Every structure is written in structure tokens, then in C-alpha cells.
Amino acid sequence: MSRAGKIARRTFLTGSIATAGGVAFGVYMYRRPSANPLAAGLHEGEAALTPYVLIRPDGVTLITPRADLGQGAAHVQALLIAEELDIELDQVGLDPGPPSAAYYNTALSREALPFASTNESRLAETARSLMDAPIKFLGIQITGGSTTVPDGWQKLRVAGAVARETLKAAASLETGLPVSDLRTRGGAVLLPDGTRLPYTGLAARAAEIDPVTDVTLRDPSAWRLIGKPTMRSDITAKSTGQQLYGIDVTLPGMLFAALRTNPRQGGEMLGYDASRAETMRGVHKIVPVTGGVGVLADNSWRAMRAVEAIRIDWGPAPYRPHQGEHWRALENSFTDKRRDSRLRNDGDVDATLASTTPLEAEYRAPYLAHAPLEPMNATLQIKDGKVDIWTGTQIPRFVQKNVASVVGVKPAQVHVHVTMSGGSFGHRLEDMMVRRAAELAMQADGRPVKLTLSREEDMAHDYPRQIAMARGRGTVSGGHVQAFDLGIAMPSIMRSQMRRLGMPMMGADLQIVAGAWDQPFAIPDYRVSGYRAPDLAPISSWRSVGASTNGFFHESFLDELIHAAGADPLEERLRLCNHAPSRKVLETVGEMSDWGAPLPEGRARGIAFCLSFGTPCAEVVEVTVTESGIRIDKVHVAAEVGRVIDPVNFENQVQGGVIWGLGHAILAETTYDDGMAEQRNFDSFRFMRMYQCPEIIVRGLENDSRVRGIGEPPVPPAAPALANAIFAATGIRLRQMPFVRDMDFV
Amino acid sequence: MKLTVDGTEHELDIETDMPLLWVLRDELGLTGVKYGCGIAECGACMVHIDGQAVHSCQTLVGDVWGEVTTIHGLAAPGTLHAVQAAWVKHQVAQCGYCQSGQIMQAAALLAQTPDPTDQEIDDAMSMNLCRCGTYPRIRAAVRTAARTLQEGTQ
Ligand code: FES
Ligand code: FES
């Protein structure tokens, strides 16, 4: 494909993660399997068969290194291992395992390359496989980018199969029977006479032999678990109050901490007066930290109350303090100098636009906090040169390294225990709060310290979703879309995020155009340009990242052009679509929603599509105009993921993604005044509640050969599908989120 | 000060203006009660006082007027309340952080209104926020629980 040829060399090496160290050396390191991190902790009679399966005399533990943030990652990872290991999910324990290079994430780096996921050309494939090497070399163990399933699909099943075959080999040694006579089921090797040898009893023998690595994966027809509804292992605990989250960690002698750092993010603390706080009941110590001050006390509420009583003099924000200036910076970024990428440039856009008066439109999307319901927290104990950390994180290796440097120890002395998280949506890709907690724990004389941020403190320091703007120009001819030219301006998410992690960011930031440049449409004159705005407030990855804004821009503007052409929004998208699995997704959502069937007066449908993280997803939203505002009645969703691993969790993820997309589109924004986020709790940062929640009907398609994730892809089409439905119902085109600025919702 | 929680009476030496939430979590170790906002917006901290659903973050411990029931004491040990059983059956939870509060709200609703209309379910449950977006499953689970409870009383 010609598109790939137009990419400048500097972007070739890019991505979200810099490839320092050189590819050749990286490849060399890559070929050597990473050391098994479980090996060090083994006792007599225990075996770590691959980094994912740990067998002890008292039970089998499956290691699920991608963080469970509520998306069911632990369950899905365990299910893939268990499928091949021939063990039932209620027979195993799950553990996130230690931070380790063995748990690198290759799928994440693959999607960071400047090739659309629909591009399967040799060049794209070669680039993707080259990218595996440096990621593994750097040992990047990250949860994100909807990659848990694509990354683990092969790797985890192989891990299960290797463990199974090794256990069979051990049983063969034990019994003298040939391996070909042995079967496995329910956590045991079965002998021809029906005798069961539980895996736990074979661990000692299995530990003595080399793992059997020449394995064949099961044919789909033999699957017991994949594709079937299963019960998530955390459901009962989460329905009875028994599930422990980071915020619930309790240790003997523990101190409770609260913190205030400069709400002008990254600004300094010029001075403070804690004289009142010092005398308050339960206060143990006042501890100044980088950019702020914390309180150690004997109870969270006493700590929070005391920290509120400290008078603090904050320094200025290291960025433009007012929201209006942020918008102006974006408005001024549509220039050649600021152009970051033009990865889509088909036909002759300039000539076509010049030949007639184009349709023009401008769109805006605000900053948005992640605001998972569990406020950020971390528990640390620093004692005898050793650091223990309990926290919910998507980046355990960075936490380990960064806390080591705060405390002044070697990373090997830092032990990260990843806890269950009460949501994340990208918030736990950051670790500033853990570093501050380490500064507090350093002053606790070896006692454990649990830092819990108040909701206000958390939201003041939520590196939000990017602010973004787009300008579209386009033409139609003969009832069809002819030219589509979209420019998108936003600050670089990756640069902001990588800088906090202490990593360089090279090349173009593909997130500026993700979900727009890479869409499977053959519009004759089709161009997407990314403009990198100057750095404004620090920003971070927010569920679906660049596509969360760009899906709205692309699909709203495409809809405007289709209406201008007088065409049908579904028919015209199908006509333009040049990717078979995506066409199928559009056709399916059309069928599901009875697209085209007449609706009563005051009701209408809107459609939108976005291919993000490799997953094509289409949504049809149905709305009713009522006297007191718009009611969202129904959403139909179709998504192509190659394989639906667990239909229950799949449906839950898709429904959650749609609600995430719609809830923020109608209600939420984060704005800055005087350098500070103005919305710091759920009274001003509003989100969808049950009375506004539509019925959401979901279908997963399995036509593609690649297996894809589903955590993020349902988000980008939701907002534009709603805006398009509202246009169909009212003739009013919403071009700025949140929509509640222009319209009431019931 | 005396406080009865989940059937156990406690003698506590604490400030009367401490929110019940933090007494339950930090003084009594009942961590199933969750902190989400502290301002009665999210519902993660919901408990019952004499059967009524209240935001424990905005209830000062000195003002508690009756027996407190938390998610830990909603059902007898080792058993599930009908609402919890429905939550398991429908696999409602994603991160699960809001669910203690959702369950306490739903249990209080069904105790007062055994056969709620869809509108009544939406109205009551809109007091509770779920950032993961489990609302469709919560709706279904409340209906299931209502049926189970009604069958049980007939
Ligand atoms: S913590 Fe009480 S309502 Fe949110
Ligand atoms: S399940 Fe995560 S907030 Fe409700």
C-alpha cells in the first residue's frame, strides 16, 4: 500500500515508546527467553512451569500479569491458560505475579506503529515484528490499549499447553507409562485405568525436568472455556464486600496519610503553616514532600481533616492558567509548522476543494478526568533497606523503578504487590501519587503508611484526557461524498505521559490522529492531518486515548457530508468502506437496529463507526425528543473481535464502554481556572446515572483472523452516533462536547 | 460512645463529628463500605440505619439514630441476601467498587417497595454512581431480586 511509503523515516522508529538501545541488540536479547521471575521464590516440591503457571503441593496458581481494573483481565487471562492446562477455573488461585520483564506487552507496541491495523502488507508486518524486540528488551509490562487479549491470546494458551505437557512428561516418568497413553482433565493427569494424578502431586517431579516446549494448541472445536459464558472468579467477593482493593490494605502498626500537593499541576509549594494541624487529634507527623505536604495520622479522616487545616502558599502553574488560553492555543495550531503527521492523503484534496465551495465545520472536545470510583491510594513500608508497595497500577515496573529512585535503593529492593483496582480508565498509568507516598513512608520510621487521596485531591491531580479541536472541509458530488479533509489539533498525550515516566518521545504522536487517519473508507479525496499543539495542562491516556476525541470528529463530519449529499448514513458508509470485516460490522448493526424502518414522530436514529485498537465497532443510537429534552432510548452495538473469549464479560465491557462514551459526551468536562481543575468531585464532574441509561444491545462478530480487545473500542463511536441521532431528530448539529451546553437531556 | 453495627455493639472513644464511613472503615475495619466522594454524590458508602439507606460519608457518628447494617451484615454469615444472589447471577460487577453501595440501596428499595416499577428502580438507583457503567445489569439484577423476594414471601 502506498500510504506506508509516505512515512518519514523518523516516524518509522517511533511510537508511543522510544526504542532506545538499538534494534539489533534488542533482537539479540529478545531471542533469549526472559528469565522466569517465579523461579527465585520456589521451595522444595514446587514448580514454576513457564512464568504463568505455579504449582505447589497445596494448589495451582495462574499468574495474570495484566492489571485487573474491573475489565475482567485477571479472569480472561486465567481462562486462556486454563483452557490448555485442562483445569477448571474454580480449582486455581489467581495472582498478578511480580513485576518482571517476562511479562512484556508486545501487542501494545504493535499498535503504536504508523500502519493502520487493517494494513497487512509485508512492510507493516515486518515493522510490527521488529517492534516486538525492543519492547521485550525494555521489559515493558503495561496494561493498556485494549491489548490484554491480543497480547495473551497465543502466549497464555501456549503457557497452559507447555505446563500440561510437562506435567504429562512428569507423570510418565513417575508411572513408566508412555506419554501417548496419558490424558489430562480437571487439574490431573489421567492414567489409562482411570487413576487421577493431581498436578499438585506432580510438581516436584515436573520441577526436575526441562519444560516440554514443542506443543500444539487445541482446535477450537475442543475448547471447553473459550467462547462460553463463565463465572468471573471475583464476582462473589465483589457482591459481598469481601473484595479487597488498594484502599482497603490494612497492616499492623499502619499509619494513615493524607496529602495536598499544588493543584496547579507540577507547581511548587512556596511555604506552609501547619501549626493548627499539628495539634489536632490523632496527628502523628506533618511531612513536606515534593510540591506539597502530607499528614501521617491514626485514621484517614483525621489525616484528611488535618491536611485541610494546613495553610499553604502555592506557586504558579507551569502552563497557561486559563481555559480560554488553552482553546486559543489549539485554534492557532492549524499551521504547517505545527503539522505532526499526514498519514492519510488520497486523491487530490486541494484541487477538489478549490473547485467548489466546501462545507466547513469545527468541533471541540474538552479535557476529562478519569475519576475511577476508587480514589488513588498506595500503601508503603520502608524497612531494613527494603520497600514494599501495595497499589493498583497498570505500570508495576515503572512504579518499582521510580520509587527506588525516590527512596534511594536498587529496584530489586522494591517489591510491588499489585492490588485489585476500583476502576482506572488510564488513571493508573501514572505513578506520581505513589512517589509522593514513598516520600511520606520514608518519614514513618519503618511503619507502613497508607496514603488515600481525598476525591478532591485526586481530581485536582488527574492528568486528564486531551483537549482537542478539529476542522473539516469537504465536498459532495452526485449524491456521494467526494472530498473529506480533516485537521485535528491537540497537545501530545504521549509526550506528556512519557516525560513523567522519564522516557524520551521521538517522532510523530500517532494518537493525535488515531481513530481518524486509519479508518477503512475509500473516499476519493481523503486527507487527515495531525497538528501538535503546544504543551498545555499535563494530559494522559484516557479510555480509547486519541480516538476518544477523533472518533467524534471524523464520524460527525462524515455524517454532515453524507447528509449534504442527500445520501443515507448507513448506505453511504457501506459504499465507502473498503475493509470486509468492517463492512460486516456496519451491516450487522444496520440489521440489529432495523435501520431504515420508519419511527414515530420525534424519534430518530444515528449511526457512527470507528476502528480503534484494531477493532471495528459500529453503534446505532435511538433518541426521542421530549418536552424536557432528549431521551436516549436504545443503543445497538456490533464489534468485530476475532474471538469473543467470554460472552458475559464481553457484553459488560461493551455496555460499560458505550455508557462511558455517552455519559461524558452529554455531561462532563474538566476546565481550568487559575491553573487548577475546576471540577473536583462528582457534583460538578457529572456522569450518566441509571435514569439516563439506554437499553444497550450487543453483538460480537468473529469473522477476522486476528483476536482483538474490547475495553476501549466501544467508546469512540458512542458520542458521534448520539450527535448524529440528535441531528436526525432535531436538525441541530452538536459540534462541541459536552452536549448539555447546547441541549437538555432527560 | 456506643454503636451497634451488623448486630455487634461497639464501645468507641471517638469524636462525635467523625463521619460514620470512617468509623466503619478505619476504626472497625469494615472495608466493604467504600469511600468514593465524601459528599453524598456517589453512593459507594451506603449503609442502612434501622433499615433505611443512608450515605455514611455524610452521617456523623454522633447522629446515628439506630442500628447500622453494612454490606458485611446484610446476610447471615456464609449466605447471600437475595439482592446479592441476583448480583452474582447477573455478574453485575466490573471493578465492583460501587457495588456494596448499589446492593445496599437496592436492598432498602425492595424492603420498602417489594414490586417496584422500572421508573421506581431507576429513581432509587440513580442515587448511586457507577463509573464502569454496569447500569443495565443492575436493572436486571434488581428485577430478579424482587421476584425472588416475592416468591419467598408468598
Ligand atoms: S462516599 Fe458517600 S456518597 Fe460518595
Ligand atoms: S463496577 Fe466499577 S464503579 Fe461500578
Side-chain angles (χ1 to χ4, degrees):
Chain A
M1 299 241 326
S2 59
R3 248 187 284 146
K6 292 180 198 157
I7 295 154
R9 162 128 184 97
R10 71 182 178 113
T11 47
F12 191 76
L13 277 177
T14 89
S16 324
I17 315 279
T19 62
V23 171
F25 184 56
V27 170
Y28 169 69
M29 291 292 288
Y30 172 46
R31 297 267 150 81
R32 280 168 41 196
S34 298
N36 186 337
L38 304 179
L42 291 178
H43 300 102
E44 189 68 27
E46 301 180 347
L49 304 172
T50 93
Y52 298 96
V53 182
L54 179 62
I55 302 187
R56 297 197 185 96
D58 62 348
V60 177
T61 304
L62 305 185
I63 308 297
T64 58
R66 296 293 167 264
D68 202 313
L69 313 158
Q71 83 283 44
H75 173 69
V76 166
Q77 292 172 87
L79 190 157
L80 291 174
I81 302 169
E83 179 69 76
E84 290 287 340
L85 183 55
D86 287 334
I87 194 160
E88 300 307 319
L89 288 167
D90 56 10
Q91 292 179 293
V92 297
L94 308 189
D95 192 291
S100 167
Y103 305 124
Y104 64 97
N105 185 340
T106 46
L108 188 65
S109 59
R110 286 168 162 251
E111 296 306 329
L113 286 163
F115 299 99
S117 55
T118 49
N119 181 348
E120 296 184 2
S121 69
R122 272 261 302 285
L123 181 55
E125 286 297 307
T126 309
R128 287 187 189 115
S129 64
L130 277 176
M131 200 68 185
D132 285 358
I135 283 282
K136 179 160 182 181
F137 172 58
L138 292 169
I140 304 224
Q141 181 190 352
I142 287 180
T143 305
S146 293
T147 56
T148 297
V149 167
D151 180 59
W153 172 244
Q154 201 71 12
K155 194 151 69 181
L156 297 176
R157 285 185 303 146
V158 167
V162 165
R164 180 192 72 220
E165 291 305 319
T166 308
L167 288 159
K168 276 161 72 178
S172 165
L173 284 175
E174 222 60 352
T175 60
L177 292 164
V179 168
S180 58
D181 282 0
L182 304 175
R183 301 277 166 276
T184 45
R185 191 187 313 143
V189 176
L190 304 185
L191 307 186
D193 66 359
T195 310
R196 293 179 79 250
L197 301 181
Y199 292 163
T200 44
L202 292 166
R205 180 63 76 130
E208 290 164 15
I209 58 178
D210 280 341
V212 179
T213 52
D214 182 17
V215 295
T216 319
L217 293 181
R218 293 250 154 83
D219 186 76
S221 62
W223 286 339
R224 298 169 299 122
L225 301 170
I226 297 172
K228 316 265 183 337
T230 49
M231 181 57 75
R232 254 172 75 166
S233 53
D234 54 359
I235 288 291
T236 303
K238 287 179 174 178
S239 308
T240 53
Q242 297 301 319
Q243 176 69 55
L244 293 180
Y245 300 83
I247 202 167
D248 303 324
V249 169
T250 308
L251 297 167
M254 184 174 84
L255 289 165
F256 296 79
L259 177 70
R260 274 170 75 203
T261 56
N262 194 333
R264 301 185 187 109
Q265 296 238 62
E268 289 174 32
M269 177 172 70
L270 304 177
Y272 72 95
D273 170 6
S275 45
R276 201 158 77 79
E278 270 161 6
T279 65
M280 290 170 73
R281 178 168 172 186
V283 171
H284 181 78
K285 207 176 208 175
I286 311 287
V287 182
V289 299
T290 310
V293 57
V295 172
L296 305 181
D298 61 1
N299 160 310
S300 304
W301 176 73
R302 292 188 184 121
M304 284 186 200
R305 217 161 66 138
V307 88
E308 283 307 319
I310 301 177
R311 294 209 350 248
I312 309 178
D313 193 5
W314 298 124
Y319 46 85
R320 293 160 222 230
H322 299 294
Q323 186 67 26
E325 299 170 283
H326 296 209
W327 286 121
R328 256 191 311 288
L330 296 194
E331 288 161 9
N332 295 333
S333 293
F334 294 85
T335 63
D336 285 346
K337 207 177 119 247
R338 294 221 153 260
R339 201 170 87 203
D340 190 64
S341 69
R342 181 167 278 173
L343 294 166
R344 166 78 74 174
N345 195 0
D346 302 340
D348 192 340
V349 174
D350 288 325
T352 308
L353 291 176
S355 67
T356 169
T357 314
L359 183 118
E360 297 191 16
E362 186 176 282
Y363 304 89
R364 290 169 190 248
Y367 290 115
L368 284 169
H370 300 80
L373 200 57
E374 179 194 10
M376 292 297 102
N377 59 80
T379 304
L380 281 92
Q381 183 165 27
I382 305 177
K383 205 179 166 187
D384 306 331
K386 185 169 163 272
V387 183
D388 280 286
I389 306 176
W390 292 263
T391 195
T393 178
Q394 292 169 259
I395 50 167
R397 294 261 287 165
F398 287 101
V399 167
Q400 184 182 38
K401 174 173 137 282
N402 293 334
V403 168
S405 93
V406 169
V407 180
V409 295
K410 296 215 168 59
Q413 292 159 273
V414 177
H415 303 270
V416 182
H417 314 271
V418 178
T419 60
M420 179 64 78
S421 294
S424 174
F425 317 112
H427 201 25
R428 297 170 199 273
L429 284 164
E430 303 286 343
D431 69 356
M432 276 311 167
M433 173 274 309
V434 190
R435 296 187 222 177
R436 293 302 87 81
E439 293 182 61
L440 296 174
M442 286 169 79
Q443 303 301 320
D445 307 316
R447 287 173 74 176
V449 171
K450 172 162 74 179
L451 169 65
T452 304
L453 296 192
S454 68
R455 170 56 59 193
E456 290 78 8
E457 185 69 12
D458 185 339
M459 279 175 80
H461 298 91
D462 189 315
Y463 303 105
R465 194 270 301 273
Q466 72 277 2
I467 187 174
M469 257 182 86
R471 288 180 180 156
R473 293 186 305 159
T475 67
V476 298
S477 98
H480 294 308
V481 177
Q482 174 64 38
F484 178 108
D485 183 23
L486 190 72
I488 301 172
M490 68 174 74
S492 170
I493 309 161
M494 289 305 145
R495 185 176 135 88
S496 188
Q497 205 164 357
M498 289 295 128
R499 182 193 283 159
R500 287 189 294 278
L501 291 174
M503 296 178 73
M505 154 82 194
M506 297 184 292
D509 183 351
L510 300 183
Q511 289 303 327
I512 294 175
V513 287
W517 80 273
D518 45 3
Q519 299 305 293
F521 295 114
I523 300 169
D525 303 301
Y526 190 12
R527 185 162 73 186
V528 177
S529 315
Y531 298 93
R532 191 189 292 203
D535 292 338
L536 301 166
I539 50 179
S540 185
S541 297
W542 185 93
R543 194 174 187 176
S544 80
V545 202
S548 76
T549 51
N550 302 341
F552 172 63
F553 301 151
H554 187 280
E555 282 297 286
S556 296
F557 190 53
L558 185 58
D559 209 67
E560 294 208 39
L561 289 172
I562 292 172
H563 280 284
D568 176 82
L570 174 58
E571 290 306 313
E572 181 69 353
R573 280 182 177 82
L574 279 170
R575 195 185 69 81
L576 292 169
C577 181
N578 60 0
H579 178 236
S582 296
R583 287 182 62 83
K584 193 75 196 149
V585 163
L586 281 163
E587 282 164 7
T588 304
V589 86
E591 272 164 39
M592 290 167 70
S593 63
D594 219 355
W595 183 268
L599 287 171
E601 180 69 25
R603 292 181 74 159
R605 300 183 188 91
I607 187 168
F609 168 94
C610 188
L611 193 157
S612 63
F613 307 93
T615 301
C617 182
E619 296 171 24
V620 170
V621 172
E622 215 173 288
V623 297
T624 301
V625 184
T626 76
E627 275 181 15
S628 26
I630 298 287
R631 190 178 68 223
I632 310 172
D633 297 314
K634 242 186 229 176
V635 183
H636 289 94
V637 194
E640 166 61 55
V641 287
R643 281 289 169 192
V644 174
I645 311 290
D646 178 340
V648 180
N649 197 45
F650 180 85
E651 185 187 68
N652 208 346
Q653 282 302 299
V654 174
Q655 290 175 331
V658 168
I659 290 166
W660 184 260
L662 293 176
H664 291 97
I666 63 178
L667 292 169
E669 64 182 324
T670 297
T671 52
Y672 286 84
D673 187 39
D674 194 15
M676 300 181 242
E678 294 184 283
Q679 298 75 11
R680 300 196 212 161
N681 209 324
F682 294 116
D683 51 350
S684 49
F685 189 81
R686 291 166 60 212
F687 185 62
M688 181 176 275
R689 288 172 186 263
M690 190 184 281
Y691 75 97
Q692 291 176 316
C693 181
E695 187 187 349
I696 304 169
I697 303 122
V698 177
R699 200 178 297 171
L701 304 184
E702 304 183 310
N703 299 312
D704 205 353
S705 56
R706 283 175 197 264
V707 175
R708 307 287 192 182
I710 197 61
E712 298 171 274
V715 175
L722 173 60
N724 296 345
I726 291 172
F727 176 77
T730 63
I732 297 169
R733 180 57 74 178
L734 298 174
R735 299 193 180 93
Q736 176 173 0
M737 298 194 276
F739 301 151
V740 74
R741 283 169 165 259
D742 300 300
M743 190 144 296
D744 291 332
F745 290 83
V746 295
Chain B
M1 176 191 309
K2 282 197 189 347
L3 187 69
T4 304
V5 182
D6 297 334
T8 306
E9 191 178 288
H10 300 271
E11 182 66 48
L12 296 162
D13 167 28
I14 46 172
E15 304 87 318
T16 53
D17 63 346
M18 191 183 294
L20 176 60
L21 167 67
W22 296 108
V23 179
L24 296 172
R25 284 185 57 81
D26 285 6
E27 301 296 319
L28 301 180
L30 297 170
T31 55
V33 186
K34 294 295 189 247
Y35 167 60
C37 69
I39 58 165
E41 279 286 331
C42 76
C45 65
M46 284 214 152
V47 299
H48 297 171
I49 300 180
D50 284 350
Q52 190 188 333
V54 298
H55 296 102
S56 64
C57 69
Q58 284 290 310
T59 306
L60 305 184
V61 66
D63 294 341
V64 172
W65 61 87
E67 290 202 8
V68 178
T69 306
T70 74
I71 185 76
H72 298 283
L74 185 63
T79 68
L80 295 179
H81 184 280
V83 170
Q84 292 172 314
W87 248 247
V88 171
K89 173 165 182 258
H90 290 274
Q91 298 209 46
V92 171
Q94 288 191 30
C95 84
Y97 196 79
C98 70
Q99 302 298 349
S100 295
Q102 304 273 9
I103 288 167
M104 296 310 282
Q105 180 75 264
L109 166 73
L110 296 179
Q112 270 152 32
T113 316
D115 188 16
T117 62
D118 288 356
Q119 182 72 49
E120 284 168 329
I121 294 174
D122 277 13
D123 287 350
M125 299 311 296
S126 287
M127 304 276 284
N128 295 62
L129 191 66
C130 176
R131 291 286 286 161
C132 298
T134 61
Y135 302 131
R137 299 189 117 65
I138 294 176
R139 259 188 203 138
V142 174
R143 286 191 202 115
T144 299
R147 264 198 309 278
T148 319
L149 286 168
Q150 282 189 304
E151 279 159 15
T153 55
Q154 272 163 15

